[in-house]
Amino acid sequence: MPEMYTLGFSPCPNDTYMFAALIHGWIDTGDLRFEVFMEDVETLNEWASVGKLDISKLSFHRALGLKRHYTLLQAGAALGNNCGPLLVAREGFDVQHIHQARVAVPGQWTTAHLLFTLFYPEAMGKLFMHFSSIEDAVLDGIADAGVIIHENRFTYQDKGLVKIRDLGEAWESQTGLPIPLGGIFAAHRIPGPTLPVLSHLIHESILYAREHPAQVMPYVRQFAQAMDDAVMQRHIDLYVNDFSLDLGKKGHEAISALEKVLR
């Protein structure tokens, strides 16, 4: 008899790319079936506090505080080098006055917020908002600066914004480790023997996407309609990497280093 699990991930290209084969049955999932909930990662972070979903993409910032309730799967993570959040502003912004600035941040529980707080603890004027609204908030003067994530790292310059600091680069310089942004977590109510099966299926789904782009990309594009194809592909290339296939030793070292920041 099929086992049905709820599965949450974001509509961002890296997530839809990774999960396309899994949720469409393009790979053999055995007795496992999935009911998909597609939401912004901060919504998924909030749902995690009440255990709404069986399996979910979560920011490491949120998930590391919920270890009693969730187990990290080995596949599906967004973790790597040169892929961290960026602090951006309009030309002329003086970062020495950041303690007085209004800074737009993509959600309280995002790893981006954690990194910004780590490197700018004096910044108190945070404005939490959806990641896709941050560039315009800075351009329109609603915020003096903003922490951008996802595909916005490829578009901010075209909109006239300048990079103040690469927070992922700052993390890598300080730790010598890649930056762990988000991962796929399974609620503890899922039987233990099922966890490696889930990791294997996500691993296979990613490999399928790499081998069958013509089949997978229309699904990805469906949720990235406002995004240029070149930006969409750069997004996937950056956030879906070898760590997504398997965290490995270095991936776990990076996550442990991030956890120490939270203590």
Side-chain angles (χ1 to χ4, degrees):
M1 185 174 178
E3 297 176 58
M4 178 65 73
Y5 291 114
T6 51
L7 168 64
F9 55 87
S10 82
C12 291
N14 60 310
D15 282 354
T16 51
Y17 178 86
M18 288 194 299
F19 284 103
L22 176 71
I23 65 173
H24 286 97
W26 297 335
I27 61 171
D28 183 4
T29 61
D31 292 332
L32 301 185
R33 301 292 182 271
F34 303 93
E35 180 184 3
V36 174
F37 292 78
M38 194 179 294
E39 295 287 348
D40 170 70
V41 71
E42 186 64 356
T43 298
L44 298 175
N45 288 336
E46 291 168 359
W47 285 359
S49 63
V50 294
K52 180 170 181 174
L53 302 178
D54 298 317
I55 307 154
S56 184
K57 171 73 171 286
L58 298 175
S59 299
F60 279 109
H61 182 194
R62 169 80 285 199
L64 289 174
L66 296 171
K67 289 180 69 174
R68 290 181 301 167
H69 306 289
Y70 292 91
T71 298
L72 172 64
L73 299 183
Q74 283 294 108
L79 184 150
N81 300 98
N82 304 312
C83 65
L86 307 178
L87 177 64
V88 302
R90 297 184 300 278
E91 192 76 48
F93 175 77
D94 186 351
V95 74
Q96 293 188 31
H97 299 304
I98 200 164
H99 63 287
Q100 301 172 326
R102 299 161 299 165
V103 183
V105 183
Q108 180 177 2
W109 292 111
T110 59
T111 304
H113 176 216
L114 175 61
L115 289 176
F116 177 68
T117 302
L118 174 64
F119 293 112
Y120 296 99
E122 71 276 21
M124 304 303 293
K126 299 172 188 174
L127 306 174
F128 294 108
M129 61 182 67
H130 191 276
F131 80 91
S132 63
S133 301
I134 290 176
E135 285 178 323
D136 287 340
V138 178
L139 290 167
D140 295 340
I142 297 169
D144 302 304
V147 179
I148 58 171
I149 58 176
H150 299 327
E151 63 272 11
N152 295 131
R153 68 180 290 123
F154 305 123
T155 61
Y156 74 93
Q157 289 176 306
D158 293 338
K159 294 184 178 181
L161 298 175
V162 296
K163 180 175 70 175
I164 305 301
R165 192 175 190 184
D166 185 325
L167 300 179
E169 187 176 87
W171 165 268
E172 292 170 39
S173 296
Q174 179 173 297
T175 65
L177 295 166
I179 177 64
L181 299 171
I184 309 301
F185 290 81
H188 283 179
R189 59 182 173 266
I190 295 178
T194 303
L195 301 182
V197 176
L198 292 170
S199 293
H200 174 73
L201 290 177
I202 297 169
H203 180 279
E204 291 301 301
S205 188
I206 297 169
L207 290 181
Y208 188 95
R210 289 183 173 179
E211 294 168 2
H212 303 85
Q215 186 175 358
V216 168
M217 292 311 292
Y219 174 71
V220 177
R221 193 173 292 108
Q222 178 183 341
F223 300 98
Q225 294 177 358
M227 196 184 303
D228 179 87
D229 279 2
V231 170
M232 182 174 65
Q233 190 60 56
R234 288 175 70 189
H235 182 116
I236 293 168
D237 292 343
L238 184 63
Y239 295 107
V240 183
N241 52 40
D242 288 345
F243 290 114
S244 305
L245 289 168
D246 189 299
L247 281 165
K249 181 181 178 182
K250 195 166 188 177
H252 283 285
E253 287 176 356
I255 295 164
S256 295
L258 191 72
E259 188 172 16
K260 289 178 182 177
V261 173
L262 291 169
R263 291 175 184 165

